[in-house]
Amino acid sequence: MAEQPFTDDEYEFLRHIRFGELPPAVRPDERVELTESEARRDQPDPLDDPVHWNLRHAG
């Protein structure tokens, strides 16, 4: 016997139970432009040849 999928109303209820009330939407006049102020930190600054750096720290 195949189970019936949830209706949109049931999914909405389950989202409300799990996450609670959503905050009000941000109006366009309340938005601000993002400006990056610092360098990215997902990789260290290369001090020499990146290939040499990767081999040196590979192991």
Side-chain angles (χ1 to χ4, degrees):
M1 181 173 186
E3 292 186 28
Q4 296 292 328
F6 289 122
T7 65
D8 288 344
D9 289 335
E10 290 170 330
Y11 276 125
E12 181 180 347
F13 174 74
L14 292 173
R15 278 192 301 272
H16 181 76
I17 294 299
R18 182 170 182 186
F19 300 110
E21 191 70 29
L22 292 175
V26 178
R27 296 188 329 246
D29 60 328
E30 295 175 337
R31 297 178 185 166
V32 295
E33 184 175 338
L34 177 64
T35 303
E36 294 291 335
S37 59
E38 296 182 9
R40 292 178 52 180
R41 290 289 168 208
D42 57 346
Q43 290 185 342
D45 295 331
L47 299 176
D48 53 10
D49 182 26
V51 173
H52 183 232
W53 192 89
N54 287 338
L55 292 176
R56 188 174 32 185
H57 297 288

PDB file of all heavy atoms in Angstrom, residues 42-54:
ATOM      1  N   ASP A  42      40.103  31.896   3.057  1.00  0.00           N
ATOM      2  CA  ASP A  42      39.878  30.474   2.833  1.00  0.00           C
ATOM      3  C   ASP A  42      41.173  29.755   2.464  1.00  0.00           C
ATOM      4  O   ASP A  42      41.242  28.540   2.530  1.00  0.00           O
ATOM      5  CB  ASP A  42      38.807  30.236   1.775  1.00  0.00           C
ATOM      6  CG  ASP A  42      39.127  30.900   0.447  1.00  0.00           C
ATOM      7  OD1 ASP A  42      40.022  31.759   0.410  1.00  0.00           O
ATOM      8  OD2 ASP A  42      38.460  30.563  -0.545  1.00  0.00           O
ATOM      9  N   GLN A  43      42.223  30.499   2.072  1.00  0.00           N
ATOM     10  CA  GLN A  43      43.537  29.932   1.807  1.00  0.00           C
ATOM     11  C   GLN A  43      44.583  30.902   2.344  1.00  0.00           C
ATOM     12  O   GLN A  43      44.374  32.112   2.327  1.00  0.00           O
ATOM     13  CB  GLN A  43      43.765  29.712   0.314  1.00  0.00           C
ATOM     14  CG  GLN A  43      42.935  28.608  -0.269  1.00  0.00           C
ATOM     15  CD  GLN A  43      43.302  28.360  -1.734  1.00  0.00           C
ATOM     16  OE1 GLN A  43      43.910  29.191  -2.378  1.00  0.00           O
ATOM     17  NE2 GLN A  43      42.913  27.213  -2.239  1.00  0.00           N
ATOM     18  N   PRO A  44      45.720  30.391   2.795  1.00  0.00           N
ATOM     19  CA  PRO A  44      46.766  31.300   3.280  1.00  0.00           C
ATOM     20  C   PRO A  44      47.359  32.111   2.131  1.00  0.00           C
ATOM     21  O   PRO A  44      47.305  31.707   0.967  1.00  0.00           O
ATOM     22  CB  PRO A  44      47.810  30.353   3.878  1.00  0.00           C
ATOM     23  CG  PRO A  44      47.553  29.043   3.231  1.00  0.00           C
ATOM     24  CD  PRO A  44      46.097  28.997   2.910  1.00  0.00           C
ATOM     25  N   ASP A  45      47.911  33.252   2.464  1.00  0.00           N
ATOM     26  CA  ASP A  45      48.580  34.067   1.454  1.00  0.00           C
ATOM     27  C   ASP A  45      49.811  33.322   0.952  1.00  0.00           C
ATOM     28  O   ASP A  45      50.616  32.832   1.754  1.00  0.00           O
ATOM     29  CB  ASP A  45      49.011  35.407   2.040  1.00  0.00           C
ATOM     30  CG  ASP A  45      47.816  36.251   2.443  1.00  0.00           C
ATOM     31  OD1 ASP A  45      46.754  36.099   1.818  1.00  0.00           O
ATOM     32  OD2 ASP A  45      47.964  37.053   3.384  1.00  0.00           O
ATOM     33  N   PRO A  46      49.980  33.215  -0.368  1.00  0.00           N
ATOM     34  CA  PRO A  46      51.156  32.502  -0.885  1.00  0.00           C
ATOM     35  C   PRO A  46      52.434  33.297  -0.625  1.00  0.00           C
ATOM     36  O   PRO A  46      52.510  34.479  -0.931  1.00  0.00           O
ATOM     37  CB  PRO A  46      50.872  32.373  -2.382  1.00  0.00           C
ATOM     38  CG  PRO A  46      49.895  33.467  -2.686  1.00  0.00           C
ATOM     39  CD  PRO A  46      49.107  33.692  -1.430  1.00  0.00           C
ATOM     40  N   LEU A  47      53.410  32.625  -0.021  1.00  0.00           N
ATOM     41  CA  LEU A  47      54.691  33.264   0.244  1.00  0.00           C
ATOM     42  C   LEU A  47      55.691  32.971  -0.859  1.00  0.00           C
ATOM     43  O   LEU A  47      56.653  33.699  -1.035  1.00  0.00           O
ATOM     44  CB  LEU A  47      55.248  32.787   1.592  1.00  0.00           C
ATOM     45  CG  LEU A  47      54.364  33.111   2.795  1.00  0.00           C
ATOM     46  CD1 LEU A  47      54.957  32.514   4.053  1.00  0.00           C
ATOM     47  CD2 LEU A  47      54.195  34.610   2.939  1.00  0.00           C
ATOM     48  N   ASP A  48      55.499  31.886  -1.553  1.00  0.00           N
ATOM     49  CA  ASP A  48      56.357  31.525  -2.668  1.00  0.00           C
ATOM     50  C   ASP A  48      55.517  30.766  -3.691  1.00  0.00           C
ATOM     51  O   ASP A  48      54.305  30.921  -3.722  1.00  0.00           O
ATOM     52  CB  ASP A  48      57.565  30.702  -2.189  1.00  0.00           C
ATOM     53  CG  ASP A  48      57.159  29.499  -1.355  1.00  0.00           C
ATOM     54  OD1 ASP A  48      55.956  29.177  -1.286  1.00  0.00           O
ATOM     55  OD2 ASP A  48      58.041  28.859  -0.763  1.00  0.00           O
ATOM     56  N   ASP A  49      56.108  29.931  -4.488  1.00  0.00           N
ATOM     57  CA  ASP A  49      55.406  29.182  -5.523  1.00  0.00           C
ATOM     58  C   ASP A  49      54.326  28.289  -4.884  1.00  0.00           C
ATOM     59  O   ASP A  49      54.636  27.467  -4.031  1.00  0.00           O
ATOM     60  CB  ASP A  49      56.417  28.332  -6.297  1.00  0.00           C
ATOM     61  CG  ASP A  49      55.770  27.553  -7.424  1.00  0.00           C
ATOM     62  OD1 ASP A  49      54.724  27.992  -7.919  1.00  0.00           O
ATOM     63  OD2 ASP A  49      56.325  26.506  -7.801  1.00  0.00           O
ATOM     64  N   PRO A  50      53.044  28.434  -5.265  1.00  0.00           N
ATOM     65  CA  PRO A  50      51.975  27.631  -4.658  1.00  0.00           C
ATOM     66  C   PRO A  50      52.184  26.125  -4.809  1.00  0.00           C
ATOM     67  O   PRO A  50      51.839  25.364  -3.916  1.00  0.00           O
ATOM     68  CB  PRO A  50      50.708  28.076  -5.381  1.00  0.00           C
ATOM     69  CG  PRO A  50      51.029  29.385  -5.984  1.00  0.00           C
ATOM     70  CD  PRO A  50      52.506  29.411  -6.228  1.00  0.00           C
ATOM     71  N   VAL A  51      52.744  25.687  -5.922  1.00  0.00           N
ATOM     72  CA  VAL A  51      52.993  24.255  -6.104  1.00  0.00           C
ATOM     73  C   VAL A  51      54.009  23.773  -5.075  1.00  0.00           C
ATOM     74  O   VAL A  51      53.838  22.718  -4.442  1.00  0.00           O
ATOM     75  CB  VAL A  51      53.479  23.968  -7.549  1.00  0.00           C
ATOM     76  CG1 VAL A  51      53.908  22.515  -7.693  1.00  0.00           C
ATOM     77  CG2 VAL A  51      52.394  24.309  -8.547  1.00  0.00           C
ATOM     78  N   HIS A  52      55.052  24.529  -4.858  1.00  0.00           N
ATOM     79  CA  HIS A  52      56.070  24.183  -3.860  1.00  0.00           C
ATOM     80  C   HIS A  52      55.457  24.154  -2.465  1.00  0.00           C
ATOM     81  O   HIS A  52      55.736  23.282  -1.650  1.00  0.00           O
ATOM     82  CB  HIS A  52      57.222  25.201  -3.926  1.00  0.00           C
ATOM     83  CG  HIS A  52      58.337  24.883  -2.978  1.00  0.00           C
ATOM     84  ND1 HIS A  52      58.816  25.793  -2.108  1.00  0.00           N
ATOM     85  CD2 HIS A  52      59.049  23.736  -2.781  1.00  0.00           C
ATOM     86  CE1 HIS A  52      59.780  25.252  -1.380  1.00  0.00           C
ATOM     87  NE2 HIS A  52      59.938  24.008  -1.777  1.00  0.00           N
ATOM     88  N   TRP A  53      54.588  25.121  -2.173  1.00  0.00           N
ATOM     89  CA  TRP A  53      53.926  25.177  -0.857  1.00  0.00           C
ATOM     90  C   TRP A  53      53.054  23.943  -0.643  1.00  0.00           C
ATOM     91  O   TRP A  53      53.084  23.329   0.418  1.00  0.00           O
ATOM     92  CB  TRP A  53      53.076  26.429  -0.790  1.00  0.00           C
ATOM     93  CG  TRP A  53      52.578  26.751   0.588  1.00  0.00           C
ATOM     94  CD1 TRP A  53      53.201  27.488   1.515  1.00  0.00           C
ATOM     95  CD2 TRP A  53      51.338  26.314   1.155  1.00  0.00           C
ATOM     96  NE1 TRP A  53      52.437  27.548   2.652  1.00  0.00           N
ATOM     97  CE2 TRP A  53      51.292  26.832   2.455  1.00  0.00           C
ATOM     98  CE3 TRP A  53      50.283  25.541   0.701  1.00  0.00           C
ATOM     99  CZ2 TRP A  53      50.214  26.609   3.305  1.00  0.00           C
ATOM    100  CZ3 TRP A  53      49.210  25.317   1.548  1.00  0.00           C
ATOM    101  CH2 TRP A  53      49.197  25.846   2.823  1.00  0.00           C
ATOM    102  N   ASN A  54      52.281  23.536  -1.670  1.00  0.00           N
ATOM    103  CA  ASN A  54      51.412  22.363  -1.552  1.00  0.00           C
ATOM    104  C   ASN A  54      52.215  21.096  -1.328  1.00  0.00           C
ATOM    105  O   ASN A  54      51.832  20.234  -0.553  1.00  0.00           O
ATOM    106  CB  ASN A  54      50.532  22.211  -2.794  1.00  0.00           C
ATOM    107  CG  ASN A  54      49.430  23.250  -2.843  1.00  0.00           C
ATOM    108  OD1 ASN A  54      49.051  23.810  -1.824  1.00  0.00           O
ATOM    109  ND2 ASN A  54      48.949  23.539  -4.026  1.00  0.00           N
TER     110      ASN A  54
END
